[in-house]
Amino acid sequence: MKERFLVTGGNPLHGAVRVVGAKNSVLKLMAAALLAEGTTTLNNCPEILDVPLMRSVLEGLGCAVEIDGSVVRITTPAQISSLADFDAVRQFRASVCVLGPLTARCGEAKVALPGGDAIGNRPLDMHQSGLEKLGATTHIEHGAVVARAEKLTGAKINLDFPSVGATENILTAAVLADGTTTLDNAAREPEIVDLCEMLNQMGAKISGAGTSTLVIEGVDKLEPTEHTVVGDRIVAGTWAYAAAMTQGDVTVGGIAPRHLHLALSKLKTAGANVETYESGFRVRMDGRAKAVDYQTLPFPGFPTDLQPMAIALNAVAEGTSVITENVFESRFRFVDEMLRLGADATVDGHHVVLRGVEQLSSTEVWSSDIRAGAGLVLAGLVADGDTVVHDVAHIDRGYPHFVEDLTSLGASISRVS
């Protein structure tokens, strides 16, 4: 049976919560384990639905995958399949990150065009173009992207946009290519840095992680390793905005505050008191937030994955704000559900104008993606009664122990079948 969340508004959040490894990192690290024969161990993994989905993809390629709580062990054989299982791949977007490792290890790859959240068009043209510059041929065939290469050779590659997915696939192919690859306008997200660190532990030679230029000197072989997944900045940001919305006081651990610098700075502008520590931060809001303008951009800009939380906060803030979405064109589907809750919002292209109301009005709403679902729950926390959030399987794909963490902070939320 489909599950839903029952959220009763009115409780400020107080207390402490700790985030674990990032969804946007662990799946790519699991795929990178394909690059080395033997057992790779990942620690601090989130217990979310996408991890067993990625296990299915890897098992279909010939790996043995063991999930033991927050530890994932992947044993990659000497010979792996180049055909990624269609049923598993089509369930979530991150599965496309096996394209680069398979092309590098097998000389060919056939990966079903992936599914995932309904937040806009996410083509693979930059993935394909990057692999082609490394010497591969690529095409779309029967609903799958196909890449073949007798030999990958280092090249100079410039991305039109700092795509996280394209950066990851080019990076994981180039580490086993002959010669040196220079990747300009590369993504700079902390999850990219995490992937580079693990690859270097495996014997890769990558420099420039965290900058817009990555230099990859190809090596003949990689070795398995043990690695701890970087903390999830999006989950941490969700709790930060929940604290501000509910006029609460929440301390979040397990995250480097620099990974959320702009998001936390925006909360300060909105009136929150923000304290940062080496591996965490505290957000306290006394009184109603002030409206703040946002625009989403690749890191170090404001994350598109936190845009629903910014909308939810501004929906109950004092004043008028404009939020601009520059990454995914369909992310404002979330606004339709906020209107159900009584938000005063107007969408104009890739902008939404919000005029803050003092309180939202509870009703039934539907999640369209992971972050929209979380944003709707946050909105329910400041509504005037019982809000029912449907299609919560989306939320479970990105937030481990979502209900338990919110309950520990004093929220009134339960999972209902």
Side-chain angles (χ1 to χ4, degrees):
M1 294 178 65
K2 285 190 176 182
E3 294 181 319
R4 56 194 185 276
F5 291 155
L6 176 63
V7 185
T8 303
N11 294 350
L13 301 188
H14 290 90
V17 65
R18 184 174 183 82
V19 300
V20 292
K23 166 193 178 292
N24 290 336
S25 187
V26 66
L27 305 175
K28 322 304 174 63
L29 301 177
M30 291 175 71
L34 291 167
L35 290 164
E37 180 184 353
T39 300
T40 292
T41 301
L42 300 176
N43 300 310
N44 196 37
C45 298
E47 296 179 50
I48 55 174
L49 291 179
D50 277 9
V51 170
L53 286 175
M54 181 58 86
R55 173 179 61 187
S56 297
V57 173
L58 297 181
E59 287 176 341
L61 296 170
C63 299
V65 182
E66 177 191 356
I67 300 176
D68 182 10
S70 63
V71 179
V72 176
R73 298 180 186 87
I74 303 155
T75 302
T76 303
Q79 299 295 322
I80 56 175
S81 171
S82 61
L83 174 61
D85 177 80
F86 277 37
D87 288 338
V89 168
R90 284 178 172 147
Q91 294 186 64
F92 66 122
R93 175 72 186 184
S95 56
V96 77
C97 62
V98 301
L99 181 64
L102 290 180
T103 305
R105 273 292 305 277
C106 305
E108 63 177 356
K110 186 174 184 180
V111 181
L113 294 175
D117 289 332
I119 56 176
N121 188 31
R122 298 190 279 185
L124 299 181
D125 52 349
M126 283 189 285
H127 302 240
Q128 293 177 252
S129 175
L131 292 177
E132 288 169 1
K133 287 178 179 176
L134 293 173
T137 62
T138 75
H139 63 280
I140 304 296
E141 175 184 290
H142 303 305
V145 57
V146 179
R148 293 189 177 92
E150 290 187 14
K151 184 170 100 172
L152 293 176
T153 305
K156 291 187 176 181
I157 302 171
N158 185 70
L159 294 178
D160 295 334
F161 177 84
S163 160
V164 171
T167 298
E168 289 162 345
N169 267 325
I170 294 167
L171 181 63
T172 51
V175 290
L176 292 181
D178 287 345
T180 300
T181 297
T182 302
L183 179 57
D184 286 320
N185 201 24
R188 300 165 58 187
E189 274 73 1
E191 296 80 18
I192 294 290
V193 176
D194 199 30
L195 176 61
C196 289
E197 288 178 354
M198 178 171 138
L199 290 170
N200 281 340
Q201 288 171 210
M202 297 170 74
K205 296 181 179 179
I206 304 165
S207 59
T211 74
S212 58
T213 300
L214 293 175
V215 179
I216 307 109
E217 183 182 341
V219 298
D220 293 331
K221 184 180 180 182
L222 296 180
E223 301 292 337
T225 190
E226 182 170 352
H227 180 77
T228 299
V229 184
V230 69
D232 197 316
R233 62 195 172 101
I234 305 303
V235 174
T238 300
W239 304 146
Y241 277 71
M245 285 180 65
T246 63
Q247 300 179 32
D249 183 352
V250 174
T251 299
V252 182
I255 183 71
R258 68 181 183 277
H259 295 166
L260 280 168
H261 174 74
L262 185 54
L264 294 177
S265 177
K266 289 286 188 180
L267 287 181
K268 290 181 182 178
T269 304
N273 181 288
V274 180
E275 302 173 36
T276 58
Y277 316 108
E278 182 178 351
S279 59
F281 58 83
R282 178 185 179 188
V283 173
R284 187 178 76 251
M285 178 70 87
D286 299 318
R288 190 178 173 192
K290 300 179 181 67
V292 178
D293 293 340
Y294 291 80
Q295 61 172 327
T296 66
L297 288 167
F299 190 85
F302 188 81
T304 182
D305 279 356
L306 285 180
Q307 180 246 84
M309 292 63 177
I311 289 177
L313 175 61
N314 276 346
V316 293
E318 184 179 353
T320 299
S321 61
V322 178
I323 294 181
T324 304
E325 175 58 50
N326 294 309
V327 181
F328 292 127
E329 72 275 10
S330 296
R331 199 133 223 179
F332 283 153
R333 293 177 60 182
F334 168 75
V335 177
D336 292 338
E337 300 306 302
M338 288 297 297
L339 293 174
R340 291 176 181 271
L341 289 162
D344 185 349
T346 304
V347 176
D348 180 12
H350 63 120
H351 309 282
V352 59
V353 179
L354 286 149
R355 292 159 287 274
V357 299
E358 288 194 16
Q359 189 174 43
L360 297 175
S361 176
S362 58
T363 188
E364 295 190 45
V365 289
W366 280 260
S367 306
S368 57
D369 65 77
I370 297 170
R371 311 307 172 185
L376 291 172
V377 171
L378 266 56
L381 294 175
V382 292
D384 63 355
D386 293 339
T387 295
V388 178
V389 181
H390 293 272
D391 297 334
V392 300
H394 288 295
I395 302 172
D396 291 334
R397 288 185 47 228
Y399 290 85
H401 313 300
F402 185 76
V403 171
E404 294 82 355
D405 283 346
L406 278 174
T407 300
S408 75
L409 295 173
S412 177
I413 178 173
S414 58
R415 185 185 296 267
V416 182
S417 292

